[in-house]
């Protein structure tokens, strides 16, 4: 199960947890059919390049351990070698069993088309880990509520929250047009339409943090605001703090949950100081990583629970 999760999410090979033993052809063929050629993978596959290097690494591992490699693996590798490469590919993130998952079409580059919003960042995964670590109480934060996501990026976090938590309304927001189109693609891939059985009304909205008026932000009376990996550049703080001030200082109760990868403690500290200066209260939650997704070593993510005093 772990290998299936890692393969479909295109986990870097250096982080893949290979099975301890795949010595028999039967075990290898089972892996080919249940992981590398599963029906869903055929419809929404990882990139050809990733698929190829994954299978090559597996073959190399088996040969180095002195195991006979089954024909099915060699045949699969041969087919992959004959394929070209593509700029974008699908990543599928498995959330719970039975099969609850989110599929996203992502760029292979961290920065693509002038934006960082076409990939899923680790703080989104950590937010989901945190929610599912106490799913009974934390999914209730969103269930039946009106939710606004800031900086939705490729849309993975928002799609997952819709599937796991069933908010009454979920608004994905970002600014770059290519990112907004990526969100629409994610909504389509995951059938998050107004007619879906989830019962969540979904909307994609262009939102410029610096240009949005306080009256506009307050008008919809959101119950919850979420964001992941949006506290990484102090140049963005003026707009972000303005948005949070407008959404949280209102007569309608609203809470914000922001997942932050701690890259530079000084940057996070500056953001917290800015929140204190506008009379917002912050509770910091730590996240125990690794039970659901695979992360880069030494990743630290905190969840900021922000509300008015």
């Amino acid at each position: 199960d772990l290998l299936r999760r890692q393969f479909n999410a295109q986990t870097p090979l250096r982080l893949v947890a290979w099975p301890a033993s795949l010595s028999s052809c039967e075990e290898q063929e089972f892996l080919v059919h249940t992981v590398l050629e599963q029906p869903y993978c055929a419809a929404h596959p990882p990139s050809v390049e990733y698929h190829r290097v994954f299978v090559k690494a597996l073959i190399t591992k088996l040969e180095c351990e002195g195991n006979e490699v089954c024909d099915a693996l060699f045949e699969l590798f041969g087919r992959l070698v004959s394929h070209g490469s593509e700029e974008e590919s699908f990543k599928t993130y498995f959330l719970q069993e039975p099969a609850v998952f989110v599929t996203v079409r992502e760029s292979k580059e961290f920065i693509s088309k002038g934006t960082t919003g076409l990939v899923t960042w680790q703080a989104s995964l950590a937010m989901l880990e945190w929610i599912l670590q106490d799913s009974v109480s934390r999914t209730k934060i969103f269930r039946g509520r009106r939710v606004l996501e800031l900086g939705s990026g490729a849309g993975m976090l928002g799609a997952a929250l819709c599937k796991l938590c069933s908010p009454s309304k979920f608004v994905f927001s970002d600014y770059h047009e290519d990112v907004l189109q990526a969100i629409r693609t994610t909504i389509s891939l995951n059938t998050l339409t107004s007619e879906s059985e989830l019962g969540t009304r979904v909307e994609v909205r262009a939102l410029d943090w610096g240009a949005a008026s306080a009256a506009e932000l307050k008008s919809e009376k959101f119950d919850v605001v979420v964001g992941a990996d949006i506290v990484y550049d102090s140049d963005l703080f003026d707009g972000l703090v303005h948005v949070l001030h407008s959404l949280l200082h209102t007569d309608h109760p609203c809470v914000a949950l922001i997942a932050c990868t701690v890259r530079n403690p000084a940057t996070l500290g500056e953001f917290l100081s800015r929140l204190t200066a506008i009379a917002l209260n912050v509770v910091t939650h730590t996240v125990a990583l690794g039970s659901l997704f695979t992360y880069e070593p030494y990743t630290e993510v905190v969840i900021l629970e922000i509300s008015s005093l």
Side-chain angles (χ1 to χ4, degrees), residues 83-289:
H83 282 72
S85 298
E86 63 289 310
E87 181 183 353
E88 294 179 308
S89 60
F90 297 98
K91 291 186 180 182
T92 297
Y93 300 91
F94 290 88
L95 308 173
Q96 283 182 325
E97 296 299 341
V100 179
F101 53 82
V102 169
T103 297
V104 181
R105 188 172 186 178
E106 297 188 12
S107 169
K108 295 190 295 181
E109 306 296 333
F110 285 147
I111 299 177
S112 177
K113 299 182 181 180
T115 177
T116 59
L118 297 176
V119 297
T120 296
W121 294 85
Q122 293 193 113
S124 294
L125 307 179
M127 173 75 86
L128 295 173
E129 291 251 22
W130 180 75
I131 291 169
L132 291 173
Q133 284 164 5
D134 187 5
S135 62
V136 173
S137 64
R138 290 173 182 164
T139 55
K140 289 180 181 178
I141 298 171
F142 306 93
R143 184 164 291 118
R145 304 297 181 86
R146 299 165 60 89
V147 182
L148 169 67
E149 183 180 14
L150 302 175
S152 297
M156 182 273 185
L157 174 60
L161 290 175
C162 289
K163 288 193 170 188
L164 291 171
C165 306
S166 300
S168 63
K169 181 176 183 178
F170 196 97
V171 177
F172 297 81
S173 74
D174 217 295
Y175 182 67
H176 196 288
E177 180 54 40
D178 287 317
V179 177
L180 296 173
Q181 185 53 50
I183 296 170
R184 296 183 189 103
T185 299
T186 297
I187 289 171
S188 177
L189 285 170
N190 295 279
T191 61
L192 299 176
T193 63
S194 57
E195 294 80 20
S196 75
E197 62 184 22
L198 298 175
T200 300
R201 290 178 293 136
V202 173
E203 180 182 333
V204 179
R205 185 177 302 176
L207 179 60
D208 182 341
W209 297 344
S213 70
E216 174 190 357
L217 292 166
K218 291 176 183 290
S219 63
E220 289 202 53
K221 297 184 177 181
F222 289 103
D223 303 299
V224 185
V225 178
V226 294
D229 248 330
I230 58 176
V231 182
Y232 61 90
D233 184 350
S234 58
D235 289 343
L236 302 176
F237 287 176
D238 285 347
L240 179 54
V241 169
H242 160 66
V243 168
L244 290 173
H245 182 277
S246 301
L247 291 168
L248 300 181
H249 281 300
T250 175
D251 56 1
H252 181 79
C254 182
V255 63
L257 294 169
I258 309 295
C260 305
T261 300
V262 184
R263 300 180 180 88
N264 184 341
T267 302
L268 179 59
E270 179 184 347
F271 179 66
L272 294 173
S273 296
R274 295 285 297 271
L275 296 180
T276 300
I278 59 169
L280 290 177
N281 182 62
V282 181
V283 176
T284 302
H285 303 274
T286 57
V287 185
L289 301 177

